[in-house]
């Protein structure tokens, strides 16, 4: 099959985007593994399918580089908004996108007839241990000690439609993420695995973050992870509710606001890299 695609990224968190409004992908899990390979495929953090929805403007399905389907991706959903606007699939600048973690509302910023930026209502941060999920007797898992690789880490767990564990540290640049990331991701406390954020507090309105994403490893940016980090920072007293926080990631900055009602607003860019076609047999 000859498959048209677009390569796009949000702050370096790159995915291959396929228009599924008029075609069907039979085996998206296998396709994601194939195209994500950075030597034998296109090279990406995963695959995003843009599909029709009977309850929103469009549906987003996202698959990690290991073929597992994710519930939500904050960087990818901004790129979905850019894709449908730039490809003239809609003229709307306010969109509802259907995801596995619910319908998310996007507000697009247009420059020179192209969408370049998006504000996304990411829904409410959920600290309920059962919803994340975390195997624990505590109703919430906030700043709780975990022994990993012989070291005790204080971790705060939160769901942004997908599971996150946030660890505050003094120096994110020297975390051995390739070594300890998989140990958190596959820890027995997390039956659905977990995305792990290591966060350095610069000041009340600035965080620096590195992320190990389940199914993809370290990525340049994680939108839901940035949201989870700010939510955890507010809960732990490092930042204030209702104040915009800049999160520095390897690929650039996101602006995150954790509101007093636990709703999280994310603002960031969406970038088109190139279009192409690839022959696939999956």
């Amino acid at each position: 099959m000859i498959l048209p695609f677009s390569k796009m990224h949000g702050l370096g968190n790159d995915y291959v985007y396929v228009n599924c409004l008029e075609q069907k992908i039979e085996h998206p899990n296998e396709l994601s593994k194939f195209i994500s390979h950075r030597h034998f495929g296109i090279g990406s953090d995963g695959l995003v399918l843009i599909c029709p929805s009977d309850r929103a403007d469009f549906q987003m399905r996202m698959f990690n580089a290991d073929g597992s389907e994710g519930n939500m991706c904050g960087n990818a959903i901004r790129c979905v908004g850019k894709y449908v606007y730039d490809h003239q699939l809609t003229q709307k600048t306010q969109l509802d996108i259907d995801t596995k973690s619910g319908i998310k509302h996007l507000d697009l910023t247009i420059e020179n007839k192209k969408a370049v930026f998006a504000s996304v209502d990411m829904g409410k941060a959920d600290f309920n241990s059962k919803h994340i999920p975390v195997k624990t007797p505590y109703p919430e898992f906030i700043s709780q000690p975990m022994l990993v690789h012989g070291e005790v880490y204080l971790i705060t767990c939160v769901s942004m439609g997908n599971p996150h564990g946030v660890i505050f540290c003094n120096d994110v640049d020297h975390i051995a993420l390739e070594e300890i990331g998989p140990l958190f991701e596959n820890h027995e406390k997390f039956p659905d695995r977990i995305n792990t954020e290591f966060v350095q507090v610069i000041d009340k309105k600035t965080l620096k973050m590195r992320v190990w994403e389940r199914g993809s490893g370290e990525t340049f940016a994680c939108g839901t992870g940035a949201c989870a980090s700010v939510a955890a920072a507010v809960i732990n007293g490092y930042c204030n509710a209702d104040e915009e926080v800049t999160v520095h990631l390897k690929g650039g900055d996101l602006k995150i606001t954790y509101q007093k009602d636990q709703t999280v607003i994310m603002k960031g860019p969406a970038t088109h890299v190139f279009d192409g076609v690839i022959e696939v047999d999956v």
Side-chain angles (χ1 to χ4, degrees):
M1 178 175 67
I2 302 298
L3 182 68
F5 68 88
S6 290
K7 177 78 175 287
M8 305 177 73
H9 74 86
L11 300 179
N13 188 197
D14 59 338
Y15 288 88
V16 171
Y17 293 78
V18 175
N19 183 344
C20 290
L21 299 175
E22 296 180 355
Q23 65 177 329
K24 186 175 182 181
I25 301 299
E26 295 291 344
H27 304 289
N29 308 83
E30 294 301 315
L31 179 62
S32 185
K33 288 192 286 186
F34 170 69
I35 66 171
S36 298
H37 200 290
R38 296 191 184 273
H39 298 290
F40 298 107
I42 298 167
S44 68
D45 290 327
L47 168 71
V48 174
L49 307 182
I50 301 171
C51 307
S53 172
D54 58 6
R55 63 176 191 156
D57 295 300
F58 301 93
Q59 180 190 28
M60 177 183 85
R61 294 185 68 192
M62 60 84 57
F63 296 83
N64 297 307
D66 68 353
S68 60
E69 185 169 5
N71 290 342
M72 177 58 187
C73 176
N75 291 314
I77 200 169
R78 297 198 311 275
C79 290
V80 169
K82 176 176 177 59
Y83 183 100
V84 297
Y85 185 87
D86 289 3
H87 284 78
Q88 299 180 340
L89 301 176
T90 182
Q91 294 182 332
K92 298 167 66 174
T93 59
Q94 294 187 337
L95 298 167
D96 289 326
I97 305 296
D98 192 359
T99 76
K100 285 190 71 175
S101 64
I103 295 175
K104 308 301 180 185
H105 180 74
L106 276 68
D107 193 348
L108 302 176
T109 298
I110 309 301
E111 294 180 3
N112 298 319
K113 300 182 180 180
K114 301 287 186 181
V116 296
F117 199 85
S119 175
V120 187
D121 182 340
M122 298 290 286
K124 293 189 176 184
D126 188 351
F127 291 92
N128 187 306
S129 296
K130 292 181 179 179
H131 297 165
I132 294 167
V134 185
K135 289 184 178 179
T136 176
Y138 301 112
E140 295 180 337
F141 207 72
I142 297 174
S143 197
Q144 291 295 320
M146 273 185 62
L147 181 65
V148 175
H149 201 49
E151 186 172 346
V152 175
Y153 296 85
L154 297 180
I155 186 167
T156 296
C157 293
V158 56
S159 173
M160 287 303 309
N162 53 359
H164 293 271
V166 181
I167 299 163
F168 295 97
C169 59
N170 294 325
D171 183 4
V172 296
D173 292 328
H174 291 91
I175 295 291
L177 200 52
E178 288 284 342
E179 180 180 338
I180 64 173
L183 302 180
F184 281 96
E185 176 184 356
N186 299 293
H187 196 282
E188 62 183 7
K189 280 189 176 294
F190 309 121
D192 291 344
R193 299 186 295 168
I194 202 161
N195 304 287
T196 311
E197 287 77 33
F198 291 86
V199 179
Q200 180 178 343
V201 179
I202 307 300
D203 55 43
K204 282 281 190 179
K205 293 188 176 182
T206 315
L207 304 177
K208 187 176 183 180
M209 182 190 106
R210 288 176 67 193
V211 57
W212 183 268
E213 292 199 53
R214 59 174 183 172
S216 292
E218 183 174 13
T219 59
F220 273 63
C222 177
T224 55
C227 293
S229 294
V230 173
V234 173
I235 291 296
N236 283 283
Y238 296 117
C239 299
N240 297 323
D242 291 330
E243 291 185 2
E244 187 172 82
V245 176
T246 299
V247 182
H248 297 312
L249 306 123
K250 288 184 72 175
D253 294 347
L254 288 173
K255 305 288 187 179
I256 309 294
T257 304
Y258 175 82
Q259 300 176 341
K260 288 180 181 178
D261 68 352
Q262 296 185 297
T263 298
V264 185
I265 305 299
M266 173 189 65
K267 299 177 182 177
T271 304
H272 173 261
V273 183
F274 63 88
D275 297 323
V277 295
I278 187 171
E279 187 174 349
V280 297
D281 186 22
V282 293

